[in-house]
Amino acid sequence: MLRRRAQEEDSTVLIDVSPPEAEKRGSYGSTAHASEPGGQQAAACRAGSPAKPRIDFVLVWEEDLKLDRQQDSAARDRTDMHRTWRETFLDNLRAAGLCVDQQDVQDGNTTVHYALLSASWAVLCYYAEDLRLKLPLQELPNQASNWSAGLLAWLGIPNVLLEVVPDVPPEYYSCRFRVNKLPRFLGSDNQDTFFTSTKRHQILFEILAKTPYGHEKKNLLGIHQLLAEGVLSAAFPLHDGPFKTPPEGPQAPRLNQRQVLFQHWARWGKWNKYQPLDHVRRYFGEKVALYFAWLGFYTGWLLPAAVVGTLVFLVGCFLVFSDIPTQELCGSKDSFEMCPLCLDCPFWLLSSACALAQVREEAGRLFDHGGTVFFSLFMALWAVLLLEYWKRKSATLAYRWDCSDYEDTEERPRPQFAASAPMTAPNPITGEDEPYFPERSRARRMLAGSVVIVVMVAVVVMCLVSIILYRAIMAIVVSRSGNTLLAAWASRIASLTGSVVNLVFILILSKIYVSLAHVLTRWEMHRTQTKFEDAFTLKVFIFQFVNFYSSPVYIAFFKGRFVGYPGNYHTLFGVRNEECAAGGCLIELAQELLVIMVGKQVINNMQEVLIPKLKGWWQKFRLRSKKRKAGASAGASQGPWEDDYELVPCEGLFDEYLEMVLQFGFVTIFVAACPLAPLFALLNNWVEIRLDARKFVCEYRRPVAERAQDIGIWFHILAGLTHLAVISNAFLLAFSSDFLPRAYYRWTRAHDLRGFLNFTLARAPSSFAAAHNRTCRYRAFRDDDGHYSQTYWNLLAIRLAFVIVFEHVVFSVGRLLDLLVPDIPESVEIKVKREYYLAKQALAENEVLFGTNGTKDEQPEGSELSSHWTPFTVPKASQLQQ
């Protein structure tokens, strides 16, 4: 690919930070060098380093000596090729200035190789500037705040959620690192602590991601490829030490960062305490900290929703015992003979299974009453306010954590993109040449990928149709079983088993589609990691949305709508369309939601608890059993890299976000059918926070700290679900609930609902009655000829009017709340404007004092500087060389 030309030097450097052969690499190219590693590299590695180098990263691979001797020629060639790639990769790492200390552990017939990587002071400084890292200039008091803590303090109520966590990370004014301004940065006099562990990990990971191990044009580059090909078994930074507290206990004079997180965050006993987000950010980076900030924020907002939903459910419980139509059902005796449920099924009396029918009616009334309308309106406004206040919270965290402009100015192209991009082009913001992929070519690839998505969605719809047929056939089979009890519950049995089968389909298809989405997103060539993750997230969510919500949507809006009438029933592939059981489809929808939502949560939590533990146990058992075979004692000490290799690799945050966003959809889109959904979500999330925290602190290898500006495209997905929830609940209340038919009957017939049961039953057409020599009833608003009655059309008009009024009221109030609640808190806006003003002032003074050529619209990079900072001219890359 094209490379940018070397820039001219302009000023004297303070220190030499040039790694060996640095002039032979580009900012976005590989770190491979023409010269062989030798004394020059070793000298650079030792320069400015302590006697015992700090281990920044670990590479691991295993070699089975017994298997090597038994391999055929093709497998042996592959093993030799992997060995060559590893050696080339390690040589290129040494040439890039890294110290590589190899430790080999012989375990019987297997040798586990550990490559311990460390970077010298010169290498860290060089790549810190190359990566545009921000480092501290001045320490500030910690500005962490919590609205609930402030409210309780103002009310004078003791705050049981508050806990004093030791070693609070300070806040800083920070700026993009410049080597020739090194003395101005805070702590620059101590080379061992100037770069935090997370900054060192970011630098090392960037080097690993850009270092080739073969021909670059064949894309033989980077640590990701080596791990995918099985050349390396693992690559990870080290934890700060054990997570268990020392023998002195938590009162020990100095706990490491991991122990602080375990003691005050990852323990189950801390379920009722605020999360130490600043500590999480310092140890795991902004991306992980933002996930836990969102999870905690969402969980806190679920509390009022759960309280109101539980009250609405309790109101339904009281209304059940005084419901006139339910009492009429059991008192009907022989009054209502119902039409057959299938072609060969017998006629049946509505009161014949009074107890079971009454249970279904009462269960339906638990969720289907006037309070549900209020709760739907409440939840719609709740979702709007949740997102508005999260925008404020996110903006505050981005400002405090100094990542407000990360995506616009700081984020660099992905190494995989840089290696494959066919050309370079100037970045419109920074002005630097960067790898470039034509937008038109990317659009064509995204269009082709969307076709694949449509095909996968069609597969999900086919599965849904098969579930519908299964339910219909199962209901017929059970109703013909001859068992009175089973026949009475035929519809419920078919619906429940269909929900379980649907859940199995969902879990299987999810695994397949995630792998396919990875391939498509890599092919689309997205420039930055943020854009890559956003594109991948959108693909998977579209599929998962159809996958998880197709069955509830069918039950809510289609089941029982196209049944027909006696003598003219509609069929699907020769099978009669499903009808809603006694109590209506709303209770079936609540059942489906509970099976999918609660079932998925239980399965996910079991997986999150058991799978990491089983994987960790197996990894420890496998490694330690080999050591015992090799003759090593069980109590022999091992290095921290061996301890961390026994942990489970971190798989990222995508699955965690997806689980919460799908849950948010269930809580909002179908809340009219299940007011208890927020309560189940709240209980799950209380467990989820500590479960995820424990995984990251105790069971996962330490992930590379990543910066992030916000939660990415997940916020836009949540906003889309919020708008969809308003429309969904409006149609759900209008067309699936009995709320409007009951209200219409009160207004036009009887206020006490006496006779409502007879009002909802139509008579079979005369042709059907003549053919069977008897008449019967069925649920519908039709006349004696099977045509829709005037009542049906009146109700249809009322329902459509309700939908229009409901969604206009909610959207109008939501828009008003959007205007009243600023996206960025006023205090943060004032601070940003103040710092921008000080930066402009400093630039003007710099022009007067030093005669720089800045224009009036220029500002120094990192405009969040304090007034004591004097801006400087951006140095050239060649300044870093002697």
Side-chain angles (χ1 to χ4, degrees):
M1 63 183 274
L2 301 176
R3 304 290 185 186
R4 63 175 177 179
R5 293 173 296 176
Q7 299 177 343
E8 298 177 359
E9 300 182 7
D10 64 349
S11 61
T12 307
V13 297
L14 299 177
I15 62 171
D16 172 29
V17 295
S18 174
E21 305 289 332
E23 67 276 4
K24 298 184 181 180
R25 62 176 296 274
S27 294
Y28 295 98
S30 70
T31 56
H33 313 294
S35 63
E36 294 293 329
Q40 189 179 10
Q41 285 80 357
C45 183
R46 291 190 300 268
S49 299
K52 186 177 181 181
R54 179 176 178 175
I55 300 172
D56 297 310
F57 227 89
V58 180
L59 307 180
V60 187
W61 67 95
E62 299 182 21
E63 287 186 323
D64 193 329
L65 304 179
K66 183 178 180 181
L67 184 62
D68 286 348
R69 293 190 293 267
Q70 298 174 351
Q71 287 178 335
D72 56 24
S73 58
R76 192 175 298 109
D77 290 342
R78 181 176 178 81
T79 302
D80 293 340
M81 181 178 63
H82 284 186
R83 186 177 293 111
T84 301
W85 283 352
R86 275 195 302 267
E87 292 173 356
T88 303
F89 187 70
L90 293 177
D91 288 343
N92 286 337
L93 290 179
R94 294 185 183 97
L98 299 186
C99 303
V100 182
D101 180 20
Q102 189 166 325
Q103 301 281 340
D104 298 335
V105 179
Q106 183 75 30
D107 297 340
N109 291 319
T110 302
T111 301
V112 183
H113 303 274
Y114 298 92
L116 313 180
L117 309 181
S118 56
S120 64
W121 169 251
V123 170
L124 291 172
C125 289
Y126 176 79
Y127 282 101
E129 180 167 358
D130 190 52
L131 295 177
R132 307 171 189 166
L133 295 184
K134 284 188 173 182
L135 293 173
L137 294 166
Q138 179 183 4
E139 184 173 335
L140 299 171
N142 191 284
Q143 304 174 52
S145 61
N146 193 298
W147 69 269
S148 60
L151 177 63
L152 292 175
W154 181 74
L155 295 174
I157 300 175
N159 190 354
V160 297
L161 303 176
L162 191 62
E163 181 183 33
V164 178
V165 182
D167 193 21
V168 177
E171 294 187 15
Y172 302 100
Y173 279 133
S174 61
C175 175
R176 179 176 167 183
F177 179 69
R178 297 291 186 184
V179 174
N180 57 359
K181 302 298 179 182
L182 179 66
R184 296 180 183 253
F185 288 93
L186 196 65
S188 58
D189 53 339
N190 189 336
Q191 297 182 5
D192 294 338
T193 60
F194 179 63
F195 291 102
T196 63
S197 60
T198 53
K199 298 294 184 187
R200 297 172 73 99
H201 298 163
Q202 289 171 359
I203 292 171
L204 266 289
F205 188 73
E206 183 72 14
I207 296 173
L208 291 172
K210 292 165 56 176
T211 300
Y213 56 88
H215 204 294
E216 290 184 61
K217 290 185 178 180
K218 296 181 180 179
N219 203 25
L220 300 179
L221 174 141
I223 191 68
H224 296 94
Q225 285 288 102
L226 291 173
L227 292 171
E229 293 283 347
V231 180
L232 296 176
S233 303
F236 52 89
L238 287 179
H239 277 292
D240 277 4
F243 66 85
K244 294 182 179 179
T245 54
E248 301 93 318
Q251 290 75 31
R254 179 69 177 173
L255 298 178
N256 63 45
Q257 295 180 25
R258 191 183 183 194
Q259 290 169 341
V260 170
L261 287 174
F262 175 73
Q263 190 69 26
H264 298 276
W265 181 50
R267 293 171 56 208
W268 293 108
K270 301 300 179 180
W271 66 272
N272 61 337
K273 303 296 181 183
Y274 292 129
Q275 297 184 88
L277 294 176
D278 288 332
H279 294 74
V280 177
R281 177 238 178 178
R282 177 178 63 181
Y283 193 73
F284 292 111
E286 286 81 4
K287 180 173 286 189
V288 173
L290 278 170
Y291 163 71
F292 281 102
W294 151 251
L295 181 55
F297 184 85
Y298 168 50
T299 303
W301 273 69
L302 278 173
L303 185 59
V307 171
V308 176
T310 304
L311 290 177
V312 169
F313 176 77
L314 294 177
V315 168
C317 293
F318 285 110
L319 291 177
V320 161
F321 300 105
S322 59
D323 188 52
I324 299 298
T326 304
Q327 297 172 5
E328 286 183 345
L329 187 146
C330 283
S332 61
K333 297 184 180 179
D334 298 337
S335 301
F336 303 114
E337 186 176 37
M338 305 300 291
C339 296
L341 296 174
C342 60
L343 185 62
D344 298 324
C345 294
F347 291 82
W348 58 285
L349 292 175
L350 187 60
S351 60
S352 61
C354 172
L356 298 178
Q358 187 174 11
V359 169
R360 291 197 290 262
E361 289 285 349
E362 291 177 353
R365 292 295 294 150
L366 292 177
F367 306 111
D368 190 1
H369 54 87
T372 306
V373 180
F374 161 76
F375 187 56
S376 299
L377 181 63
F378 171 82
M379 287 300 296
L381 300 180
W382 171 87
V384 172
L385 283 175
L386 167 69
L387 296 185
E388 286 302 314
Y389 277 93
W390 168 250
K391 282 194 284 188
R392 294 168 59 85
K393 177 75 171 179
S394 178
T396 303
L397 291 176
Y399 171 78
R400 288 186 52 235
W401 293 344
D402 198 20
C403 51
S404 299
D405 55 353
Y406 170 71
E407 293 179 12
D408 294 331
T409 61
E410 297 179 46
E411 191 170 18
R412 292 166 60 87
R414 298 167 54 241
Q416 299 90 333
F417 172 83
S420 304
M423 62 187 72
T424 60
N427 185 307
I429 296 177
T430 64
E432 297 180 359
D433 276 357
E434 291 185 353
Y436 177 75
F437 189 79
E439 291 295 332
R440 183 171 297 181
S441 300
R442 181 181 295 114
R444 284 197 295 264
R445 294 189 178 192
M446 293 177 69
L447 182 60
S450 64
V451 174
V452 179
I453 296 174
V454 171
V455 171
M456 291 302 297
V457 169
V459 172
V460 177
V461 174
M462 290 171 58
C463 290
L464 175 62
V465 172
S466 66
I467 295 294
I468 295 171
L469 292 175
Y470 167 83
R471 284 174 175 158
I473 295 171
M474 178 61 70
I476 294 173
V477 171
V478 175
S479 63
R480 293 177 180 176
S481 63
N483 187 309
T484 305
L485 180 62
L486 290 179
W489 283 86
S491 178
R492 283 285 179 266
I493 293 173
S495 179
L496 182 60
T497 56
S499 299
V500 175
V501 173
N502 184 49
L503 180 61
V504 173
F505 274 148
I506 286 173
L507 297 176
I508 294 174
L509 290 175
S510 298
K511 299 294 183 182
I512 298 173
Y513 185 75
V514 168
S515 302
L516 180 61
H518 265 297
V519 175
L520 290 175
T521 310
R522 284 197 299 268
W523 182 58
E524 290 171 356
M525 290 288 291
H526 294 281
R527 173 181 168 272
T528 63
Q529 186 65 24
T530 298
K531 291 182 178 179
F532 177 89
E533 291 177 356
D534 286 350
F536 172 76
T537 298
L538 185 60
K539 287 183 184 65
V540 176
F541 182 78
I542 290 173
F543 174 80
Q544 297 285 31
F545 179 85
V546 178
N547 201 4
F548 278 93
Y549 296 132
S550 57
S551 184
V553 166
Y554 163 73
I555 294 174
F557 304 115
F558 297 99
K559 186 176 181 180
R561 307 289 173 198
F562 312 102
V563 177
Y565 54 89
N568 188 28
Y569 286 117
H570 300 158
T571 61
L572 178 66
F573 300 115
V575 179
R576 178 177 158 182
N577 291 346
E578 288 185 290
E579 292 187 65
C580 295
C585 280
L586 208 62
I587 183 61
E588 290 191 39
L589 178 59
Q591 171 189 290
E592 184 79 5
L593 291 177
L594 292 176
V595 169
I596 295 179
M597 178 182 169
V598 179
K600 185 176 183 300
Q601 289 178 350
V602 170
I603 291 174
N604 282 346
N605 287 337
M606 290 178 62
Q607 287 178 337
E608 291 182 19
V609 170
L610 296 177
I611 290 180
K613 289 187 178 298
L614 292 175
K615 285 183 176 179
W617 174 83
W618 172 249
Q619 181 80 339
K620 291 178 182 179
F621 173 79
R622 186 176 64 85
L623 294 175
R624 294 182 181 182
S625 63
K626 291 177 180 178
K627 281 188 177 182
R628 286 193 294 269
K629 291 179 181 178
S633 61
S637 61
Q638 56 184 17
W641 47 89
E642 295 180 72
D643 292 331
D644 284 7
Y645 183 51
E646 293 177 350
L647 300 177
V648 180
C650 181
E651 297 177 353
L653 294 169
F654 174 80
D655 289 334
E656 313 298 340
Y657 270 120
L658 181 63
E659 179 184 356
M660 289 298 104
V661 172
L662 289 174
Q663 181 199 88
F664 179 85
F666 283 120
V667 167
T668 54
I669 294 178
F670 303 107
V671 73
C674 188
L676 291 178
L679 176 62
F680 288 118
L682 175 65
L683 297 176
N684 174 80
N685 289 6
W686 265 334
V687 176
E688 185 76 22
I689 291 176
R690 303 305 158 181
L691 188 60
D692 288 346
R694 196 172 185 86
K695 286 192 304 184
F696 274 90
V697 173
C698 306
E699 296 170 359
Y700 281 168
R701 296 170 192 156
R702 187 174 183 177
V704 178
E706 296 182 68
R707 286 174 62 76
Q709 186 171 324
D710 47 38
I711 62 174
I713 201 172
W714 291 113
F715 178 83
H716 302 289
I717 292 174
L718 292 167
L721 289 177
T722 299
H723 287 81
L724 183 61
V726 175
I727 300 171
S728 170
N729 283 298
F731 277 94
L732 201 60
L733 291 170
F735 289 92
S736 299
S737 167
D738 275 344
F739 169 72
L740 290 180
R742 284 171 177 255
Y744 176 78
Y745 189 81
R746 282 194 177 98
W747 298 335
T748 60
R749 306 294 174 88
H751 185 72
D752 60 359
L753 290 179
R754 295 191 181 277
F756 178 76
L757 184 63
N758 182 60
F759 173 71
T760 61
L761 298 177
R763 297 182 183 276
S766 55
S767 58
F768 182 86
H772 294 80
N773 295 321
R774 60 202 300 186
T775 187
C776 60
R777 309 293 292 272
Y778 63 101
R779 291 181 179 273
F781 293 105
R782 293 178 181 267
D783 58 23
D784 292 344
D785 295 325
H787 303 301
Y788 287 119
S789 64
Q790 185 62 39
T791 301
Y792 171 84
W793 297 111
N794 292 342
L795 275 174
L796 180 62
I798 293 172
R799 284 166 167 163
L800 292 176
F802 177 85
V803 170
I804 294 173
V805 172
F806 184 90
E807 60 96 5
H808 273 70
V809 168
V810 173
F811 282 136
S812 299
V813 175
R815 180 59 180 165
L816 180 62
L817 293 175
D818 189 12
L819 295 174
L820 293 177
V821 180
D823 292 348
I824 301 176
E826 184 180 3
S827 59
V828 174
E829 283 190 330
I830 292 174
K831 291 175 183 177
V832 171
K833 292 177 181 178
R834 172 68 176 168
E835 291 168 4
Y836 181 81
Y837 168 77
L838 294 175
K840 298 283 283 186
Q841 287 274 82
L843 179 62
E845 294 174 4
N846 189 67
E847 291 177 355
V848 172
L849 293 175
F850 300 102
T852 56
N853 296 322
T855 65
K856 76 173 187 174
D857 290 327
E858 287 180 31
Q859 62 170 317
E861 296 189 57
S863 58
E864 67 277 11
L865 309 184
S866 59
S867 57
H868 80 281
W869 171 251
T870 301
F872 45 86
T873 305
V874 177
K876 306 295 190 294
S878 56
Q879 283 182 293
L880 303 177
Q881 306 164 7
Q882 278 187 330

